[in-house]
Amino acid sequence: MSLVKERYSSKKPYLASLSRRDAIKWIGALSVTAAFPGLTACSSQALVPQSELAKGHWPQLELPVINATGYGKDPNLIIAPRASWPRTLTAAQLTFIAVLADIIAPREGAVPSASEVKVPDLLDEWVSAPYERQQQDRVSFLHLLAWLDEEARRRFDNLFVDVTASQQLATIDDIAYKKAMQSEEFVRPAKAFADFRRLVLACFFCSPAGVKDIGYLGNVPIVGDYPGPSDEAMTHLQGVLDELGLTL
């Protein structure tokens, strides 16, 4: 077992700027998204057959134990509490995560990238929390970063964040699609990347920019009398009721 080392590039370092209070509020928004059940369900790593885990290289890391206290059983849901645990990711790890998150959610025109909306800060908050679900993700994510470094060194003789963009994409392409599950050497990193991608996208689409990008209006005040549901909404509702054998 080897200790986690500062192996990530300091080139173009990611500068964290999301406050703890805002990060905690953002996690609260995550909890009410449709993506959240997928995040709180069992990790994809747990779904990998044990016979497949031994195939291909996978880093062996000795991670420090996080033993900070959580919120307790009766948190204040009205006023965002102060986090009772420290953030644990280093600046170098945040830079690595920013590079990887921007591959998943890059800037497109006026829509900012994942790092521009501070997704790495929220991931830092997430994996630093002393709860079983978050700690499983911490182990998975840090092993994924180490695997990407090992793979980049094997292929290109450099760290992942220091190789070219095309080389980064070539590596990610091998673990990002269903075909990765057909190659024994990529089963485990593919599962870890799927978990990481799911959380990055959930974070992104809970940000103000992400909400705007999908056109979600939320609670919008209406001037005058409530006009009622649209004809399209009523047609959809009637179709659902017909399938269930119900009537309005």
Side-chain angles (χ1 to χ4, degrees), residues 58-112:
W58 189 245
Q60 298 297 313
L61 304 180
E62 184 178 323
L63 301 177
V65 176
I66 292 181
N67 52 17
T69 58
Y71 290 133
K73 297 182 178 179
D74 189 23
N76 188 327
L77 300 180
I78 304 300
I79 301 175
R82 291 184 178 181
S84 55
W85 57 83
R87 286 178 172 174
T88 58
L89 295 181
T90 67
Q93 289 168 338
L94 286 170
T95 295
F96 197 143
I97 287 175
V99 170
L100 195 55
D102 282 354
I103 290 175
I104 295 169
R107 168 173 276 275
E108 294 185 1
V111 181

Side-chain angles (χ1 to χ4, degrees), residues 185-201:
E185 65 177 308
F186 296 135
V187 168
R188 196 161 188 171
K191 291 292 189 182
F193 182 75
D195 289 338
F196 181 84
R197 175 175 52 200
R198 188 158 50 243
L199 186 55
V200 166
L201 293 176

Side-chain angles (χ1 to χ4, degrees), residues 15-164:
L15 301 177
S17 61
L18 188 66
S19 71
R20 301 299 301 279
R21 182 180 180 85
D22 286 342
I24 293 170
K25 288 168 61 178
W26 199 345
I27 286 179
L30 272 176
S31 68
V32 296
T33 65
F36 194 75
L39 298 177
T40 55
C42 60
S43 169
S44 294
Q45 291 292 327
L47 303 178
V48 183
Q50 288 298 315
S51 60
E52 297 294 330
L53 295 181
K55 299 171 182 176
H57 71 89
W58 189 245
Q60 298 297 313
L61 304 180
E62 184 178 323
L63 301 177
V65 176
I66 292 181
N67 52 17
T69 58
Y71 290 133
K73 297 182 178 179
D74 189 23
N76 188 327
L77 300 180
I78 304 300
I79 301 175
R82 291 184 178 181
S84 55
W85 57 83
R87 286 178 172 174
T88 58
L89 295 181
T90 67
Q93 289 168 338
L94 286 170
T95 295
F96 197 143
I97 287 175
V99 170
L100 195 55
D102 282 354
I103 290 175
I104 295 169
R107 168 173 276 275
E108 294 185 1
V111 181
S113 68
S115 67
E116 289 178 300
V117 300
K118 309 304 178 185
V119 166
D121 289 343
L122 187 58
L123 292 181
D124 191 5
E125 198 74 53
W126 182 269
V127 302
S128 299
Y131 303 114
E132 182 179 1
R133 168 69 270 158
Q134 283 79 357
Q135 286 310 294
Q136 289 177 355
D137 284 338
R138 171 174 171 258
V139 171
S140 175
F141 294 173
L142 292 182
H143 278 74
L144 174 63
L145 300 189
W147 182 89
L148 287 169
D149 260 349
E150 290 180 1
E151 192 70 5
R153 280 203 178 280
R154 185 180 68 84
R155 298 186 187 195
F156 313 115
D157 196 28
N158 215 334
L159 299 176
F160 182 83
V161 296
D162 290 329
V163 301
T164 66

